Coordinates of all heavy atoms in Angstrom, one line a residue:
M1 N -12.5 142.8 58.7 CA -13.5 143.7 59.3 C -12.8 144.5 60.4 O -11.6 144.6 60.3 CB -14.6 142.9 59.9 CG -15.7 143.8 60.5 SD -17.3 143.0 60.4 CE -18.2 144.4 59.9
T2 N -13.4 144.9 61.4 CA -12.9 145.8 62.4 C -12.9 145.1 63.7 O -13.4 144.0 63.9 CB -13.7 147.1 62.5 OG1 -15.0 146.8 62.8 CG2 -13.7 147.8 61.1
A3 N -12.3 145.8 64.7 CA -12.3 145.4 66.1 C -13.5 145.9 66.8 O -14.1 147.0 66.5 CB -11.0 145.9 66.7
Y4 N -13.9 145.2 67.8 CA -15.0 145.6 68.7 C -14.4 145.8 70.0 O -13.7 145.0 70.7 CB -16.0 144.5 68.8 CG -17.1 144.7 69.9 CD1 -18.2 145.4 69.5 CD2 -17.0 144.2 71.1 CE1 -19.2 145.7 70.5 CE2 -17.9 144.4 72.1 CZ -19.1 145.2 71.7 OH -20.0 145.4 72.7
Y5 N -14.7 147.0 70.6 CA -14.2 147.4 71.9 C -15.4 147.7 72.8 O -16.3 148.5 72.5 CB -13.3 148.7 71.8 CG -12.1 148.6 71.0 CD1 -12.1 149.0 69.7 CD2 -11.0 148.0 71.6 CE1 -11.0 148.9 68.9 CE2 -9.7 148.0 70.7 CZ -9.8 148.4 69.4 OH -8.7 148.3 68.6
N6 N -15.5 147.1 73.9 CA -16.6 147.3 74.9 C -16.0 148.0 76.1 O -15.1 147.4 76.8 CB -17.3 146.1 75.3 CG -18.4 146.3 76.3 OD1 -18.2 146.2 77.4 ND2 -19.6 146.7 75.8
E7 N -16.4 149.2 76.4 CA -15.9 149.9 77.5 C -16.9 150.8 78.1 O -17.5 151.8 77.4 CB -14.6 150.8 77.1 CG -14.1 151.5 78.3 CD -13.8 150.8 79.5 OE1 -13.0 149.8 79.4 OE2 -14.4 151.1 80.6
F8 N -17.3 150.5 79.3 CA -18.4 151.3 80.0 C -18.0 152.7 80.5 O -18.9 153.6 80.5 CB -18.9 150.4 81.2 CG -20.0 151.0 81.9 CD1 -21.3 150.8 81.4 CD2 -19.8 151.5 83.2 CE1 -22.4 151.4 82.1 CE2 -20.9 152.1 83.9 CZ -22.2 152.0 83.4
D9 N -16.8 152.8 80.8 CA -16.3 154.2 81.3 C -16.2 155.2 80.2 O -15.5 154.9 79.2 CB -15.0 154.0 82.0 CG -14.4 155.2 82.5 OD1 -14.9 155.7 83.6 OD2 -13.5 155.9 81.9
P10 N -16.9 156.3 80.3 CA -16.9 157.3 79.2 C -15.5 157.9 78.9 O -15.2 158.0 77.7 CB -17.8 158.4 79.7 CG -18.6 157.8 80.8 CD -17.8 156.7 81.4
F11 N -14.7 158.1 79.9 CA -13.3 158.6 79.7 C -12.5 157.6 78.9 O -11.8 158.0 77.9 CB -12.6 159.0 81.0 CG -11.2 159.5 80.8 CD1 -11.0 160.8 80.4 CD2 -10.1 158.6 81.0 CE1 -9.7 161.3 80.2 CE2 -8.9 159.1 80.9 CZ -8.7 160.5 80.5
A12 N -12.5 156.3 79.3 CA -11.7 155.3 78.6 C -12.3 155.1 77.2 O -11.5 154.9 76.3 CB -11.8 154.0 79.4
A13 N -13.6 155.2 77.0 CA -14.2 155.0 75.6 C -13.7 156.2 74.7 O -13.3 155.9 73.6 CB -15.7 155.1 75.8
E14 N -13.6 157.4 75.2 CA -13.1 158.5 74.4 C -11.6 158.3 74.1 O -11.2 158.6 73.0 CB -13.3 159.8 75.1 CG -14.7 160.3 75.0 CD -15.2 160.4 73.5 OE1 -14.5 161.0 72.7 OE2 -16.3 159.9 73.2
W15 N -10.9 157.7 75.0 CA -9.5 157.5 74.8 C -9.3 156.4 73.8 O -8.5 156.6 72.9 CB -8.8 157.0 76.1 CG -7.4 157.0 76.2 CD1 -6.5 156.7 75.2 CD2 -6.5 157.3 77.3 NE1 -5.2 156.7 75.6 CE2 -5.2 157.1 76.9 CE3 -6.8 157.7 78.5 CZ2 -4.1 157.4 77.7 CZ3 -5.7 157.9 79.4 CH2 -4.4 157.7 79.0
L16 N -10.1 155.4 73.8 CA -10.1 154.4 72.7 C -10.4 155.0 71.4 O -9.6 154.7 70.4 CB -11.1 153.3 72.9 CG -10.8 152.3 74.0 CD1 -12.1 151.5 74.4 CD2 -9.7 151.3 73.6
R17 N -11.3 155.9 71.3 CA -11.7 156.5 70.0 C -10.5 157.4 69.5 O -10.2 157.4 68.3 CB -12.9 157.4 70.1 CG -14.2 156.6 70.3 CD -15.4 157.4 70.4 NE -16.6 156.6 70.7 CZ -17.2 156.5 71.8 NH1 -16.7 157.2 72.9 NH2 -18.2 155.8 72.0
A18 N -9.8 158.0 70.4 CA -8.6 158.8 70.0 C -7.5 158.0 69.5 O -6.8 158.3 68.6 CB -8.2 159.7 71.2
L19 N -7.3 156.8 70.2 CA -6.2 155.9 69.8 C -6.5 155.3 68.5 O -5.6 155.1 67.6 CB -6.0 154.8 70.8 CG -5.4 155.2 72.2 CD1 -5.5 154.1 73.2 CD2 -4.0 155.7 72.0
I20 N -7.8 155.0 68.2 CA -8.2 154.5 66.9 C -7.9 155.5 65.8 O -7.3 155.2 64.8 CB -9.6 154.0 66.9 CG1 -9.9 152.8 67.8 CG2 -10.2 153.7 65.5 CD1 -11.3 152.5 68.1
A21 N -8.4 156.7 66.1 CA -8.2 157.8 65.1 C -6.8 158.1 64.8 O -6.4 158.4 63.6 CB -8.9 159.1 65.6
A22 N -5.9 157.9 65.8 CA -4.5 158.1 65.6 C -3.8 157.0 65.0 O -2.5 157.0 64.6 CB -3.8 158.5 66.9
G23 N -4.5 155.8 64.8 CA -3.8 154.7 64.2 C -3.0 153.8 65.2 O -2.2 153.0 64.7
H24 N -3.1 154.0 66.5 CA -2.3 153.3 67.4 C -2.8 151.9 67.8 O -2.1 151.1 68.2 CB -2.2 154.1 68.7 CG -1.4 155.4 68.5 ND1 -0.1 155.4 68.0 CD2 -1.8 156.7 68.7 CE1 0.3 156.7 68.0 NE2 -0.7 157.5 68.4
I25 N -4.1 151.7 67.6 CA -4.8 150.5 67.8 C -5.6 150.1 66.6 O -5.9 150.9 65.8 CB -5.6 150.4 69.2 CG1 -6.7 151.4 69.2 CG2 -4.6 150.6 70.3 CD1 -7.6 151.3 70.4
A26 N -6.0 148.9 66.6 CA -6.8 148.4 65.4 C -8.1 149.2 65.3 O -8.7 149.6 66.3 CB -7.2 146.9 65.7
P27 N -8.5 149.6 64.0 CA -9.7 150.3 63.8 C -10.9 149.5 64.2 O -10.9 148.3 64.2 CB -9.7 150.5 62.3 CG -8.8 149.5 61.8 CD -7.8 149.2 62.8
G28 N -11.9 150.2 64.7 CA -13.0 149.5 65.2 C -14.2 150.3 65.8 O -14.2 151.5 65.7
V29 N -15.1 149.7 66.4 CA -16.3 150.2 67.0 C -16.1 150.2 68.5 O -15.7 149.2 69.1 CB -17.5 149.3 66.7 CG1 -18.7 149.8 67.4 CG2 -17.7 149.3 65.1
V30 N -16.4 151.4 69.1 CA -16.4 151.5 70.6 C -17.8 151.5 71.1 O -18.6 152.3 70.8 CB -15.7 152.7 71.1 CG1 -15.7 152.8 72.6 CG2 -14.3 152.8 70.5
D31 N -18.2 150.5 71.9 CA -19.5 150.3 72.4 C -19.5 150.6 73.9 O -18.8 149.9 74.6 CB -20.0 148.8 72.1 CG -21.4 148.5 72.6 OD1 -22.0 149.4 73.2 OD2 -21.8 147.4 72.3
T32 N -20.3 151.5 74.4 CA -20.2 151.9 75.7 C -21.4 151.3 76.6 O -21.6 151.7 77.7 CB -20.4 153.5 75.8 OG1 -21.5 153.9 75.2 CG2 -19.1 154.1 75.3
R33 N -22.1 150.3 76.0 CA -23.1 149.7 76.8 C -22.5 148.8 77.8 O -21.4 148.4 77.7 CB -24.0 148.8 75.8 CG -24.8 149.6 74.8 CD -25.6 148.6 73.9 NE -24.7 147.8 73.2 CZ -25.1 146.7 72.5 NH1 -26.3 146.3 72.6 NH2 -24.2 146.0 71.8
S34 N -23.4 148.4 78.8 CA -23.0 147.4 79.8 C -22.7 146.1 79.0 O -23.4 145.7 78.1 CB -24.1 147.2 80.8 OG -23.8 146.1 81.6
I35 N -21.7 145.3 79.5 CA -21.4 144.0 78.9 C -22.6 143.1 78.9 O -22.8 142.3 78.1 CB -20.2 143.4 79.6 CG1 -19.6 142.3 78.8 CG2 -20.5 143.0 81.0 CD1 -18.9 142.6 77.6
V36 N -23.5 143.2 79.9 CA -24.7 142.3 80.0 C -25.7 142.6 78.9 O -26.5 141.7 78.6 CB -25.4 142.4 81.4 CG1 -24.4 142.0 82.5 CG2 -25.9 143.8 81.6
D37 N -25.6 143.8 78.2 CA -26.5 144.1 77.1 C -26.0 143.7 75.7 O -26.7 143.8 74.7 CB -26.8 145.6 77.1 CG -27.5 146.0 78.4 OD1 -28.3 145.3 78.9 OD2 -27.3 147.2 78.8
V38 N -24.8 143.2 75.6 CA -24.1 142.8 74.4 C -24.6 141.4 74.0 O -24.4 140.4 74.9 CB -22.6 142.9 74.4 CG1 -22.0 142.5 73.1 CG2 -22.1 144.3 74.8
R39 N -25.1 141.2 72.9 CA -25.6 139.9 72.5 C -24.6 139.3 71.5 O -23.9 139.9 70.7 CB -26.9 140.1 71.7 CG -27.9 140.9 72.4 CD -29.2 140.3 72.9 NE -29.7 139.2 72.2 CZ -29.9 138.0 72.9 NH1 -29.7 137.9 74.2 NH2 -30.4 137.0 72.2
P40 N -24.4 138.0 71.6 CA -23.4 137.2 70.8 C -23.5 137.5 69.3 O -22.5 137.7 68.6 CB -23.6 135.8 71.1 CG -24.2 135.7 72.5 CD -25.0 137.0 72.5
E41 N -24.7 137.6 68.8 CA -24.9 137.8 67.4 C -24.4 139.2 66.9 O -24.1 139.3 65.7 CB -26.3 137.5 67.0 CG -27.4 138.4 67.6 CD -27.9 137.8 68.9 OE1 -27.3 136.8 69.5 OE2 -28.9 138.4 69.4
E42 N -24.3 140.1 67.8 CA -23.8 141.4 67.5 C -22.3 141.4 67.2 O -21.8 142.4 66.7 CB -24.2 142.4 68.6 CG -25.6 142.7 68.8 CD -25.9 143.5 70.0 OE1 -25.4 143.3 71.1 OE2 -26.6 144.5 69.8
L43 N -21.7 140.4 67.6 CA -20.2 140.3 67.5 C -19.7 139.6 66.2 O -18.5 139.6 65.9 CB -19.6 139.6 68.7 CG -20.0 140.3 70.0 CD1 -19.4 139.5 71.2 CD2 -19.5 141.7 70.1
A44 N -20.7 139.1 65.5 CA -20.3 138.3 64.2 C -19.6 139.3 63.3 O -20.0 140.4 63.0 CB -21.6 137.8 63.6
G45 N -18.5 138.8 62.7 CA -17.8 139.5 61.7 C -16.6 140.3 62.2 O -15.8 140.9 61.4
F46 N -16.6 140.6 63.5 CA -15.4 141.3 64.0 C -14.2 140.4 64.1 O -14.3 139.2 64.4 CB -15.7 141.9 65.4 CG -16.6 143.0 65.5 CD1 -18.0 142.8 65.8 CD2 -16.3 144.2 65.1 CE1 -18.8 143.9 65.9 CE2 -17.2 145.3 65.1 CZ -18.4 145.1 65.5
T47 N -13.0 141.0 63.8 CA -11.8 140.2 63.8 C -11.2 140.1 65.2 O -10.4 139.3 65.5 CB -10.8 140.8 62.8 OG1 -10.5 142.1 63.1 CG2 -11.2 140.7 61.3
Q48 N -11.5 141.1 66.0 CA -11.0 141.2 67.4 C -12.2 141.6 68.3 O -13.0 142.5 67.8 CB -9.9 142.2 67.6 CG -8.6 141.8 66.9 CD -7.5 142.9 67.2 OE1 -7.7 143.7 68.1 NE2 -6.5 143.0 66.3
C49 N -12.3 141.1 69.5 CA -13.3 141.5 70.4 C -12.6 141.8 71.7 O -12.0 140.9 72.3 CB -14.4 140.6 70.6 SG -15.5 140.3 69.1
H50 N -12.7 143.1 72.2 CA -12.0 143.4 73.5 C -13.1 143.9 74.4 O -13.7 144.9 74.3 CB -11.1 144.6 73.2 CG -10.0 144.2 72.2 ND1 -8.9 143.5 72.5 CD2 -9.9 144.5 70.9 CE1 -8.1 143.3 71.4 NE2 -8.7 143.9 70.4
F51 N -13.4 143.1 75.5 CA -14.3 143.4 76.5 C -13.6 144.0 77.6 O -12.4 143.6 77.9 CB -15.1 142.1 76.9 CG -15.7 141.4 75.8 CD1 -15.1 140.3 75.2 CD2 -16.9 141.9 75.2 CE1 -15.7 139.7 74.0 CE2 -17.4 141.3 74.1 CZ -16.9 140.2 73.5
F52 N -14.2 145.0 78.3 CA -13.5 145.7 79.4 C -12.2 146.2 78.8 O -11.2 146.1 79.4 CB -13.3 144.8 80.6 CG -14.5 144.0 81.1 CD1 -14.6 142.7 80.8 CD2 -15.5 144.7 81.8 CE1 -15.7 141.9 81.2 CE2 -16.6 143.9 82.2 CZ -16.7 142.6 81.9
A53 N -12.4 146.9 77.7 CA -11.2 147.3 76.8 C -10.2 148.3 77.5 O -9.1 148.4 77.0 CB -11.7 147.9 75.5
G54 N -10.7 149.1 78.4 CA -9.8 150.0 79.0 C -9.3 151.0 78.0 O -10.1 151.6 77.3
I55 N -8.0 151.1 77.8 CA -7.3 152.0 76.8 C -6.7 151.3 75.7 O -5.8 151.7 75.1 CB -6.4 153.0 77.5 CG1 -5.3 152.3 78.2 CG2 -7.1 153.9 78.4 CD1 -4.1 153.2 78.6
G56 N -7.2 150.1 75.4 CA -6.8 149.4 74.2 C -5.4 148.6 74.3 O -4.8 148.4 73.3
G57 N -5.1 148.3 75.6 CA -3.8 147.6 75.8 C -3.6 146.3 75.0 O -2.6 146.1 74.5
W58 N -4.7 145.5 74.9 CA -4.5 144.2 74.2 C -4.4 144.4 72.7 O -3.6 143.7 72.1 CB -5.8 143.3 74.5 CG -5.6 142.6 75.7 CD1 -6.3 142.8 76.9 CD2 -4.7 141.5 76.0 NE1 -5.9 141.9 77.9 CE2 -4.8 141.2 77.4 CE3 -3.6 140.9 75.3 CZ2 -4.1 140.2 78.0 CZ3 -2.9 139.9 76.0 CH2 -3.1 139.6 77.3
S59 N -5.1 145.3 72.1 CA -4.9 145.6 70.7 C -3.5 146.1 70.4 O -2.9 145.6 69.5 CB -5.9 146.7 70.3 OG -5.8 147.0 68.9
H60 N -3.0 147.0 71.3 CA -1.6 147.5 71.1 C -0.7 146.3 71.3 O 0.3 146.2 70.5 CB -1.4 148.6 72.1 CG 0.0 149.1 72.0 ND1 0.4 150.0 71.0 CD2 1.1 149.0 72.8 CE1 1.7 150.3 71.1 NE2 2.1 149.7 72.3
A61 N -0.9 145.4 72.2 CA 0.0 144.3 72.4 C 0.0 143.4 71.3 O 1.1 142.9 70.9 CB -0.4 143.6 73.7
L62 N -1.1 143.1 70.7 CA -1.2 142.2 69.5 C -0.4 142.8 68.4 O 0.3 142.1 67.7 CB -2.6 142.0 69.1 CG -3.5 141.1 70.1 CD1 -4.9 141.2 69.7 CD2 -3.0 139.7 70.1
R63 N -0.6 144.1 68.1 CA 0.2 144.8 67.0 C 1.7 144.7 67.3 O 2.5 144.4 66.4 CB -0.2 146.2 66.9 CG -1.4 146.4 66.1 CD -1.8 147.9 65.9 NE -2.7 148.1 64.8 CZ -3.0 149.2 64.3 NH1 -2.5 150.3 64.8 NH2 -3.9 149.3 63.4
S64 N 2.1 144.9 68.6 CA 3.5 144.9 69.0 C 4.1 143.5 68.8 O 5.3 143.4 68.5 CB 3.7 145.4 70.4 OG 3.3 146.7 70.5
A65 N 3.3 142.5 68.9 CA 3.7 141.1 68.7 C 3.7 140.7 67.3 O 4.2 139.6 67.0 CB 2.9 140.2 69.6
G66 N 3.3 141.6 66.4 CA 3.3 141.2 65.0 C 2.0 140.6 64.4 O 2.0 140.2 63.3
W67 N 1.0 140.6 65.2 CA -0.3 140.1 64.8 C -1.0 141.1 64.0 O -1.0 142.3 64.3 CB -1.2 139.7 65.9 CG -0.7 138.5 66.7 CD1 0.5 138.3 67.2 CD2 -1.5 137.3 67.0 NE1 0.6 137.1 67.9 CE2 -0.6 136.4 67.7 CE3 -2.8 136.9 66.7 CZ2 -1.1 135.2 68.1 CZ3 -3.2 135.7 67.2 CH2 -2.3 134.8 67.9
S68 N -1.6 140.7 62.9 CA -2.3 141.7 62.0 C -3.7 142.0 62.7 O -4.2 141.3 63.5 CB -2.6 141.1 60.6 OG -3.4 139.9 60.7
D69 N -4.2 143.1 62.3 CA -5.5 143.6 62.8 C -6.6 142.6 62.3 O -7.6 142.5 62.9 CB -5.8 145.0 62.4 CG -4.9 146.0 63.1 OD1 -4.3 145.7 64.1 OD2 -4.8 147.1 62.5

């Protein structure tokens, strides 16, 4: 499946979308809701979950370390 990115900041969320589109980080969904509104059952099926995702550093680090998406 895809990665889940939670990022409240609109600028960082757009940056995540651009990085996904360019193929630099794992493909996925960018959710801009507050973390308190995210329900556990909404995360079922995602292969990666990045909370307070920023600009996707963890996804990039996982790829650099050789981990698959």
Side-chain angles (χ1 to χ4, degrees):
M1 183 151 223
T2 60
Y4 172 86
Y5 300 93
N6 178 264
E7 180 50 59
F8 182 76
D9 180 79
F11 179 78
E14 282 304 312
W15 193 321
L16 284 168
R17 289 183 186 102
L19 290 171
I20 291 167
H24 295 302
I25 60 175
V29 174
V30 179
D31 183 353
T32 58
R33 294 179 296 162
S34 169
I35 194 73
V36 299
D37 296 328
V38 179
R39 312 249 330 129
E41 58 271 12
E42 295 175 308
L43 304 174
F46 287 104
T47 56
Q48 297 179 16
C49 292
H50 302 281
F51 305 100
F52 312 102
I55 58 168
W58 278 109
S59 179
H60 180 71
L62 290 170
R63 279 185 163 188
S64 296
W67 289 55
S68 64
D69 292 338

